[in-house]
Amino acid sequence: MTHYTLTVPVKYDDNGTEKTTYRRVGAVFENTKRDTGETFLTLKLDFPVGVTELVAFQPNKGEVTE
């Protein structure tokens, strides 16, 4: 199973220079539906922020996303 580290950028000032670090907030797993073979992503958060899991699907054919 493919997985990725989920981070958020944290910008800070270091003696007048803006720098960015990345804080881990969870992991993203790439999954496949058994019956259709469709790929979807599952996001597992390390700590609760209203929800502890989000699932992202590819848009339907013909669906416009902005």
Side-chain angles (χ1 to χ4, degrees):
M1 176 186 325
T2 302
H3 71 278
Y4 305 89
T5 301
L6 184 63
T7 64
V8 293
V10 178
K11 295 185 182 200
Y12 65 97
D13 183 62
D14 184 23
N15 294 326
T17 303
E18 185 179 279
K19 294 189 175 183
T20 304
T21 60
Y22 295 89
R23 180 177 178 213
R24 179 190 157 100
V25 294
V28 179
F29 298 92
E30 186 177 305
N31 301 287
T32 305
K33 285 187 175 181
R34 293 180 192 183
D35 53 345
T36 64
E38 178 184 5
T39 300
F40 65 96
L41 303 174
T42 303
L43 286 73
K44 298 276 189 172
L45 302 178
D46 291 340
F47 49 89
V49 286
V51 297
T52 57
E53 182 176 354
L54 302 169
V55 179
F57 294 93
Q58 294 177 347
N60 293 329
K61 293 178 182 175
E63 181 180 350
V64 176
T65 58
E66 296 179 19

